[in-house]
Amino acid sequence: MSEAKQTPYTAIHAKLGAKLVDFAGHTMPMQYEGIRKEHLAVRQEAGLFDVAHMGEILFQGPGALETINFMVSNDVASIPDNHAIYTPICHPHGGIVDDCIVYKRSATDLIVVVNASNKDKDFAWFSEHAKGVRPVDVSDDVALLALQGPKAERILALAAGADHLGSIPGFGLGWITLCGKKMMIARTGYTDRKSTRLNSSHRIRS
């Protein structure tokens, strides 16, 4: 059995006393102080989740939009730039490969976030069926965090010195600078419309 991978934040989780487990081949924090306490913290204030184990697949260049639109069931071309769409990835003759979120920064710059446990399978499927632009697996170069809860927007705005977060619509994208890094943020939470979820991602290697 291969050794579990670590996210850029694993050492921080260990230092802060998280209970670490193997999930989708990664060492991930299961909890810190207990499920009930952490559930209520997210419902009432906010919680920060390490989701850097997720897979990120990049489509860039002329024809990128047409390539990804051919392989997912929802119409990525119908959404504006700097928006995202949740969609299944389907087999040509029926059945679902996986579900994913496609982030459309422009017609020539799209990134697909897939489930960690299916990342290799999804990338292989995209590579086999892509017509035009070839996908690039950038999972090891991108770190992803999710900040969720009613105070998420205010916390991130204070941390980043940003005053434009309120203008980002549901499933919209934006940019902030945090800790000296330019990060893409997205309001892509869908489990509770009353709660705010902001995902931020940044390159950890160029």
Side-chain angles (χ1 to χ4, degrees):
M1 180 180 294
S2 60
E3 185 177 351
K5 295 180 180 179
Q6 296 190 355
T7 78
Y9 313 108
T10 302
I12 298 173
H13 298 310
K15 184 178 180 180
L16 294 177
K19 179 180 179 181
L20 299 172
V21 299
D22 187 328
F23 178 78
H26 291 73
T27 300
M28 302 298 294
M30 175 180 284
Q31 63 186 43
Y32 280 88
E33 299 182 28
I35 294 174
R36 184 177 186 276
K37 186 172 183 178
E38 292 169 21
H39 168 81
L40 291 175
V42 174
R43 284 292 184 181
Q44 296 169 1
E45 297 185 26
L48 184 64
F49 299 85
D50 179 359
V51 283
H53 63 312
M54 300 289 282
E56 290 85 21
I57 300 171
L58 188 65
F59 291 81
Q60 283 187 325
L65 175 60
E66 291 78 10
T67 299
I68 189 62
N69 215 35
F70 171 75
M71 293 184 289
V72 299
S73 62
N74 282 330
D75 185 9
V76 183
S78 69
I79 65 172
D81 290 353
N82 294 315
H83 280 72
I85 191 167
Y86 176 68
T87 179
I89 309 165
C90 292
H91 293 289
H93 303 294
I96 295 175
V97 179
D98 198 4
D99 62 340
C100 68
I101 296 182
V102 179
Y103 295 83
K104 180 186 176 186
R105 296 182 285 207
S106 74
T108 58
D109 184 11
L110 300 99
I111 188 164
V112 183
V113 175
V114 299
N115 292 298
S117 58
N118 292 331
K119 188 262 293 183
D120 292 338
K121 179 192 74 172
D122 291 348
F123 179 68
W125 195 90
F126 279 132
S127 298
E128 180 182 353
H129 294 86
K131 294 185 176 181
V133 171
R134 307 305 301 173
V136 179
D137 183 357
V138 295
S139 304
D140 292 337
D141 299 325
V142 175
L144 180 62
L145 292 169
L147 181 61
Q148 184 169 341
K151 296 184 181 179
E153 182 180 314
R154 185 170 67 181
I155 290 170
L156 186 57
L158 289 171
D163 59 5
H164 67 289
L165 302 186
S167 65
I168 299 174
F171 275 70
L173 314 181
W175 296 89
I176 60 171
T177 299
L178 186 63
C179 300
K181 300 283 188 179
K182 186 178 181 181
M183 301 183 184
M184 185 184 86
I185 60 172
R187 197 183 293 272
T188 47
Y190 55 87
T191 54
D192 182 357
R193 291 296 181 184
K194 295 181 181 179
S195 180
T196 297
R197 173 168 170 165
L198 290 158
N199 294 330
S200 68
S201 64
H202 66 279
R203 289 272 186 166
I204 54 177
R205 286 200 296 269
S206 57

